């Protein structure tokens, strides 16, 4: 009996993820590093400069491919905002941008930043572009610890507009369009009643309440 209770305790205390252990996709509402422009799809060779110039000092150099990252002291959860090694996909949070450069966070634990020269202009995605691309493809997921008001579905993109429904335990959230900080969605909830309306996918300060349910 004692052995069974120990095993049960381990199961309850172990985090349950929708994806494999190596994957990193936000699950919780976070108030850290919300003042970002969007995401940059990282090349496999990441060279970061102190300033947006190749004559500037290099602050970090990282190589990665799939689940392998060098140097080995670099942790995927610190480097990437979204990381799916099976797809060789690593996305860095962008805090500033010029025509040829992006400033990215390369350590999510410390907030350290560096400038990365763009090798492809299409690697950068504003948040709206990112949600339109991945959110419309995979749908959205409700992040944990979302405030109750962010679960309300509105008739329009006005805070005081009529509330036409409330999200409880959604099985599927399909994204139709992004309108500023609002998203037009259709929801299949636990009550099996289809709901359609506008919800706030982020606050005015950039706090995300929903995130593309990337698989």
């Amino acid at each position: 009996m004692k052995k069974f209770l120990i095993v049960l305790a381990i199961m309850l205390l172990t985090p349950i993820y929708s994806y494999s252990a190596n994957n990193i996709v936000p699950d919780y509402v976070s108030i850290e590093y919300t003042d970002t422009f969007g995401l940059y799809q990282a090349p496999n060779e990441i060279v970061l400069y102190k300033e947006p110039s190749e004559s500037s000092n290099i602050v970090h150099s990282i190589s990665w491919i799939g689940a392998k990252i060098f140097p080995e002291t670099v942790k995927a959860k610190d480097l990437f905002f979204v990381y799916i090694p099976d797809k060789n996909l690593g996305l860095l949070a962008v805090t500033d941008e010029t025509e040829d450069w992006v400033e990215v966070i390369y350590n999510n634990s410390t907030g350290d930043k560096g400038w990365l020269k763009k090798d492809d202009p299409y690697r950068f995605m504003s948040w709206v572009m990112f949600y339109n691309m991945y959110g419309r493809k995979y749908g959205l997921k409700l992040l944990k610890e979302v405030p109750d008001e962010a679960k309300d579905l509105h008739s329009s993109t006005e805070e005081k507009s009529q509330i036409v429904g409330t999200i409880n335990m959604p099985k599927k959230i399909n994204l139709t369009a992004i309108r500023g900080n609002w998203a037009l969605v259709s929801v299949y909830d636990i009550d099996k009643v289809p709901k359609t309306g506008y919800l706030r996918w982020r606050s005015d300060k950039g706090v995300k309440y929903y995130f593309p349910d990337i698989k």
Side-chain angles (χ1 to χ4, degrees):
M1 182 68 177
K2 183 177 180 181
K3 184 177 180 181
F4 171 76
L5 291 174
I6 292 172
V7 172
L8 179 61
I10 292 173
M11 290 175 64
L12 291 174
L13 292 173
T14 302
I16 299 174
Y17 298 96
S18 303
Y19 313 106
S20 67
N22 287 329
N23 290 7
I24 297 169
V25 179
D27 277 329
Y28 285 83
V29 171
S30 174
I31 60 173
E32 289 188 322
Y33 315 129
T34 59
D35 189 19
T36 52
F37 289 3
L39 298 171
Y40 190 81
Q41 185 175 340
N44 292 121
E45 297 294 329
I46 304 171
V47 181
L48 298 162
Y49 294 82
K50 185 176 182 180
E51 303 292 340
S53 169
E54 290 182 278
S55 62
S56 177
N57 293 333
I58 294 176
V59 296
H60 214 329
S61 181
I62 302 164
S63 299
W64 73 284
I65 184 166
K68 296 181 179 180
I69 302 177
F70 304 97
E72 293 180 355
T73 53
V74 176
K75 298 178 180 179
K77 68 181 180 64
D78 288 334
L79 178 62
F80 296 117
F81 195 90
V82 172
Y83 175 56
I84 303 180
D86 287 348
K87 296 179 181 291
N88 200 45
L89 178 66
L91 301 177
L92 303 164
V94 176
T95 55
D96 202 354
E97 181 198 18
T98 71
E99 184 178 352
D100 299 317
W101 296 78
V102 284
E103 184 185 47
V104 299
I105 296 172
Y106 66 85
N107 190 322
N108 290 307
S109 293
T110 63
D112 289 339
K113 305 172 187 176
W115 286 90
L116 175 63
K117 188 170 185 179
K118 295 178 183 176
D119 61 348
D120 183 338
Y122 296 104
R123 286 183 180 271
F124 171 71
M125 294 174 285
S126 67
W127 282 116
V128 170
M129 291 170 62
F130 173 71
Y131 272 71
N132 275 328
M133 178 181 294
Y134 288 94
R136 293 178 73 172
K137 180 177 181 179
Y138 295 108
L140 301 178
K141 64 177 179 178
L142 175 68
L143 297 181
K144 297 173 184 177
E145 300 181 1
V146 163
D148 288 341
E149 59 268 23
K151 299 178 184 179
D152 291 334
L153 289 170
H154 291 253
S155 60
S156 72
T157 58
E158 296 292 334
E159 203 72 60
K160 295 182 179 180
S161 61
Q162 180 184 359
I163 296 175
V164 295
T166 301
I167 297 175
N168 298 302
M169 297 177 65
K171 299 296 184 182
K172 180 71 173 178
I173 304 176
N174 293 311
L175 173 64
T176 300
I178 294 287
R179 300 282 187 269
N181 294 333
W182 295 81
L184 177 61
V185 298
S186 56
V187 182
Y188 184 70
D189 215 330
I190 192 170
D191 57 12
K192 298 182 180 181
V193 177
K195 305 171 184 178
T196 299
Y198 289 92
L199 55 77
R200 263 193 174 270
W201 64 272
R202 68 178 175 186
S203 72
D204 292 336
K205 294 183 179 180
V207 177
K208 314 296 185 298
Y209 300 139
Y210 296 82
F211 203 81
D213 194 12
I214 301 172
K215 297 178 176 63

